[in-house]
Amino acid sequence: MEAFVTHTGRAVPLRRSNVDTDQIIPAHWLKKVTRNGFEDGLFEAWRKDPSFVLNQPEYAGATVLVAGPDFGTGSSREHAVWALQNYGFKTVLSSRFADIFRGNSLKNGLLTVVLPQDVIDRLWKLVEDDPKAEITVDLVAREVRAEGPSLSLTEPFELDDNARWRLLEGLDDISLTLRHEDDIAAYEAKRPSHKPSTARPSTIEV
Amino acid sequence: MGRTLAEKVWDDHVVRRADGEPDLLFIDLHLLHEVTSPQAFDGLRLAGRSVRRLDLTIATEDHNTPTLDIDKPIADPISRTQLETLRKNCAEFGVRLHPLGDVEQGVVHVVGPQLGLTQPGTTVVCGDSHTSTHGAFGALAFGIGTSQVEHVLATQTLPLAPFKTMAITVEGELPEDVTAKDLILAIIAKIGTGGGQGYVIEYRGSAIEKLSMEARMTICNMSIEAGARAGMIAPDETTFAYLKGRPHAPQGAEWDAAVAYWKTLHTDEDAVFDHEVRIDASQLAPFVTWGTNPGQGAPLSASVPDPGSFSDASERLAAEKALEYMGLIAGQPLREVKVDTVFVGSCTNGRIEDLRSAASVLEGRTVAEGLRMLVVPGSVRVALQAVEEGLDKVFTAAGAEWRHAGCSMCLGMNPDQLAPGERSASTSNRNFEGRQGKGGRTHLVSPQVAAATAILGHLASPADLADARTPVEA
């Protein structure tokens, strides 16, 4: 996984709530069998509208997405995270993320940061007033910083120590888990025999 | 202090617990399908890893599979590649696969329970958010992303952040024509699409206890639409009766041992939930969605809401955008909304009881002229059962299309899609923009409402059909 330490970049204000993963990456893109090449599918339907924020030239090259509440609801598709990363986003800020999306993002090094909605409102205003304004997301200090004519903001955010450590180091979860293979084997050894098995039964009748 | 059902199942699966680390949980059952697994198998291959527990892993094909001409090569080359990739991966790694054409093929969340693999007190995962379905058995079941699919394939475990517990207690009798689907749509409208975020919901109370296993699956299936990590229902005699004799259910002494364990899987009297919601079943009515997320719903007898009536600014904006996308006007009675397509199927409502329910409304009646109705059974087994009961003939006699099993128009990854601007009444689970096809407009409904809507051509319940049944010819 790509490590995340600190990132500074221009930001896109996405003033919508309940942005589901079908909007982030529509289902027909899910037929691809790779983890890359999803950038053109990101917000595909909305990008057909010339007034959509990602189509505004002043936001080209932005790397921070400032989103509305309940971002990433719906389908578990990790393709949503890959699409955001393939497009160039390094971090997403929102007052609330759907659980599965959040889990997926942190496993790929896309830092999802939960901030109070009033902070999101102020960041929206900042980058709408001045699209060149930069936002810093500092995982070491666990804070978001932004400077602008009308705003000087330093806002702490929460992320548990373990998730933070994995992100800072860019650690692969599977390798970490396999350090505890003895524990897995011990659990397996005492697992009750009535637990289901997918081994084919001799006859299948329903 | 006592523990909740969810906490008991969690505790029974902790492989490793350490300060400052998420618990490492053992996974009893891992379900795979073609969409979210290819990159996970690639990861295994790159790292030189194998599947740790093939005996706890099973795959089927559902999202991309066509529902017509299944004996011909799949027309869409990208869909075909994805299915072929699953077949290659399963062959290479030794995973049991039920491909298109197999008698056990179907929507992954229909297949697991009908094989008897989904059992009380198990942990079930799948790279699909509707894995919450399996919670109907008292399993802790949740959707995961592809990185986690790879993690489970390699280790049969997942490190998981702790959850909060929510009880949704439903007491009383559901009125006639009110189904599990109406109940869950009403719950989501009440708590919101983010209301369950961070929670495992336990559905309980007399109205839940009276539900069949299939109705319970409909409820738990849509827990994710309220943002919940999982939904669960305590196992009881209904659960045991459903499981007994299924191909992968325990047998003999194993069955007795299993039932003895399953009977311990209920929330203790003195357990405390982090949040509680109470619902009076008798006050519910057929429920439909008007917007573009599953929380934007209302009783069928209501009208399209005025966005100005929402006090929360982001909800108001969301309602405005939803009405614009849906082509609806505030104040329009929902019963007057005309639809082009009716879809009966999906992991929410693609089981035999759902097909029976739709067929009972359609029998002796005909689908409105110009309206397209697709009936897509959730699995081949469901289709075979429906044929045995003659339900397929009821559907085709009414003018509906009887299709092959799969996810189909629930998400339109196969050719079953809405055209831009087309409107559907759908028994599926998501009314997101473009979910059933680019520009398509979706109203989520129960199978009964779907069938009544198909007959009248506008959103309707069976109660609206008083005179529409034509005599059946002998």
Side-chain angles (χ1 to χ4, degrees):
Chain A
M1 178 179 78
E2 203 178 319
F4 189 107
V5 179
T6 183
H7 176 76
T8 300
R10 288 181 294 110
V12 177
L14 183 64
R15 282 188 182 263
R16 289 189 77 129
S17 62
N18 270 294
V19 174
D20 58 77
T21 54
D22 273 75
Q23 305 317 313
I24 300 173
I25 187 83
H28 70 98
W29 283 87
L30 274 49
K31 298 174 186 180
K32 288 168 65 69
V33 295
T34 59
R35 283 175 181 255
N36 49 40
F38 292 98
E39 57 276 14
D40 291 341
L42 180 72
F43 300 123
E44 186 184 47
W46 294 344
R47 276 162 77 185
K48 297 222 161 72
D49 172 2
S51 69
F52 181 57
V53 67
L54 279 195
N55 292 329
Q56 307 317 304
E58 59 269 31
Y59 293 113
T63 51
V64 178
L65 184 64
V66 187
D70 293 314
F71 187 83
T73 56
S75 157
S76 63
R77 57 189 70 170
E78 199 159 315
H79 314 66
V81 172
W82 303 332
L84 287 160
Q85 290 183 311
N86 292 168
Y87 186 87
F89 287 111
K90 303 289 183 198
T91 176
V92 185
L93 320 181
S94 166
S95 63
R96 191 158 64 182
F97 292 96
D99 285 323
I100 302 177
F101 175 82
R102 183 124 207 263
N104 288 342
S105 69
L106 299 178
K107 294 205 182 311
N108 284 273
L110 177 76
L111 180 56
T112 39
V113 179
V114 180
L115 295 171
Q117 186 57 42
D118 68 288
V119 175
I120 297 289
D121 288 338
R122 285 152 70 198
L123 292 172
W124 275 341
K125 184 165 188 319
L126 168 74
V127 297
E128 282 169 353
D129 290 350
D130 176 15
K132 291 199 186 68
E134 290 189 323
I135 296 176
T136 296
V137 176
D138 182 342
L139 183 55
V140 180
R142 271 183 278 217
E143 64 186 26
V144 170
R145 296 185 295 272
E147 288 288 337
S150 59
L151 177 84
S152 176
L153 178 145
T154 300
E155 183 72 24
F157 64 85
E158 286 184 25
L159 187 71
D160 69 83
D161 290 340
N162 188 267
R164 174 172 170 268
W165 168 67
R166 287 171 191 232
L167 277 163
L168 288 173
E169 303 288 328
L171 293 172
D172 160 22
D173 269 2
I174 297 178
S175 309
L176 290 176
T177 296
L178 288 175
R179 290 183 196 171
H180 307 298
E181 204 177 350
D182 289 354
D183 292 329
I184 302 174
Y187 182 92
E188 287 174 326
K190 65 177 175 61
R191 209 168 151 260
S193 57
H194 63 73
K195 290 279 187 177
S197 157
T198 60
R200 284 175 195 269
S202 49
T203 54
I204 290 188
E205 276 178 63
V206 174
Chain B
M1 195 177 71
R3 294 177 300 161
T4 63
L5 165 61
E7 288 161 341
K8 287 182 182 181
V9 179
W10 180 286
D11 290 347
D12 283 350
H13 290 84
V14 175
V15 167
R16 177 187 149 83
R17 180 169 281 170
D19 279 347
E21 288 180 31
D23 281 355
L24 187 66
L25 253 62
F26 193 80
I27 302 302
D28 287 315
L29 178 63
H30 188 192
L31 306 164
L32 295 167
H33 61 85
E34 74 274 18
V35 179
T36 52
S37 65
Q39 298 86 351
F41 281 113
D42 271 350
L44 289 187
R45 216 175 272 119
L46 276 170
R49 291 175 176 139
S50 56
V51 177
R52 181 178 180 90
R53 294 295 299 264
L54 289 168
D55 61 330
L56 305 181
T57 310
I58 189 168
T60 189
E61 302 173 351
D62 54 7
H63 284 64
N64 277 270
T65 52
T67 58
L68 286 174
D69 300 328
I70 65 159
D71 48 340
K72 295 185 185 146
I74 293 166
D76 177 351
I78 314 174
S79 285
R80 193 167 65 228
T81 300
Q82 192 159 61
L83 291 168
E84 282 167 358
T85 303
L86 180 69
R87 289 171 199 179
K88 268 189 255 171
N89 284 330
C90 286
E92 179 183 337
F93 287 89
V95 174
R96 171 175 167 189
L97 168 69
H98 293 294
L100 186 63
D102 186 281
V103 71
E104 300 298 344
Q105 179 262 341
V107 182
V108 66
H109 309 306
V110 177
V111 169
Q114 80 188 5
L115 281 171
L117 284 166
T118 304
Q119 294 176 16
T122 56
T123 45
V124 181
V125 298
C126 175
D128 190 286
S129 59
H130 291 113
T131 309
S132 58
T133 310
H134 307 265
F137 291 79
L140 184 60
F142 44 91
I144 57 178
T146 298
S147 293
Q148 290 171 303
V149 170
E150 183 182 337
H151 195 284
V152 177
L153 287 171
T155 71
Q156 204 60 35
T157 64
L158 275 179
L160 290 168
F163 61 91
K164 295 177 285 182
T165 56
M166 184 190 302
I168 296 185
T169 306
V170 191
E171 299 285 3
E173 290 277 345
L174 285 172
E176 201 185 338
D177 287 349
V178 177
T179 68
K181 182 63 164 289
D182 303 298
L183 170 57
I184 189 64
L185 285 173
I187 288 171
I188 299 163
K190 185 181 170 84
I191 71 172
T193 55
Q197 199 242 336
Y199 288 96
V200 173
I201 297 174
E202 182 182 333
Y203 303 95
R204 55 214 310 258
S206 59
I208 299 294
E209 288 162 19
K210 279 181 214 140
L211 295 175
S212 70
M213 281 317 296
E214 296 197 358
R216 294 179 190 185
M217 284 189 248
T218 301
I219 302 274
C220 289
N221 171 275
M222 290 192 72
S223 302
I224 183 67
E225 311 314 335
R229 297 262 301 268
M232 297 178 90
I233 294 173
D236 59 11
E237 293 301 329
T238 304
T239 320
F240 310 152
Y242 177 95
L243 278 166
K244 193 157 179 75
R246 297 211 171 243
H248 290 267
Q251 292 177 3
E254 295 283 8
W255 171 264
D256 297 337
V259 171
Y261 170 59
W262 296 347
K263 284 185 172 170
T264 69
L265 297 171
H266 54 79
T267 293
D268 294 328
E269 298 245 344
D270 56 342
V272 178
F273 289 93
D274 297 311
H275 187 65
E276 295 213 40
V277 174
R278 300 192 81 83
I279 291 184
D280 179 355
S282 69
Q283 297 304 305
L284 296 170
F287 212 86
V288 302
T289 61
W290 49 265
T292 54
N293 72 58
Q296 292 176 321
L300 176 62
S301 56
S303 298
V304 176
D306 178 354
S309 67
F310 292 93
S311 52
D312 178 84
S314 80
E315 272 186 54
R316 189 162 57 240
L317 183 66
E320 277 168 19
K321 284 189 189 290
L323 293 200
E324 187 187 336
Y325 180 85
M326 292 295 288
L328 295 173
I329 299 160
Q332 186 179 358
L334 286 165
R335 272 203 168 82
E336 290 177 12
V337 175
K338 291 197 163 62
V339 311
D340 310 290
T341 296
V342 168
F343 172 66
V344 173
S346 84
C347 56
T348 312
N349 282 129
R351 298 179 179 81
I352 191 68
E353 288 175 13
D354 302 311
L355 301 192
R356 284 179 193 143
S357 168
S360 72
V361 177
L362 276 173
E363 189 155 25
R365 297 182 168 120
T366 47
V367 169
E369 199 166 326
L371 186 143
R372 170 174 64 146
M373 180 175 186
L374 263 61
V375 183
V376 181
S379 71
V380 177
R381 290 283 182 195
V382 170
L384 292 173
Q385 177 70 28
V387 168
E388 195 177 305
E389 297 178 21
L391 305 183
D392 59 323
K393 295 215 164 51
V394 173
F395 291 123
T396 50
E401 297 178 41
W402 173 248
R403 297 290 191 91
H404 187 80
C407 298
S408 178
M409 196 181 268
C410 175
L411 84 169
M413 278 190 80
N414 76 351
D416 307 338
Q417 296 179 17
L418 294 180
E422 265 189 331
R423 186 182 299 280
S424 79
S426 177
T427 67
S428 54
N429 40 56
R430 288 188 175 137
N431 51 343
F432 298 153
E433 290 182 21
R435 170 82 177 179
Q436 297 189 291
K438 214 173 278 180
R441 296 158 167 168
T442 303
H443 296 273
L444 301 177
V445 300
S446 73
Q448 294 197 6
V449 168
T453 299
I455 294 158
L456 293 175
H458 58 78
L459 293 176
S461 74
D464 301 324
L465 286 171
D467 321 315
R469 203 185 293 262
T470 51
V472 183
E473 285 174 37

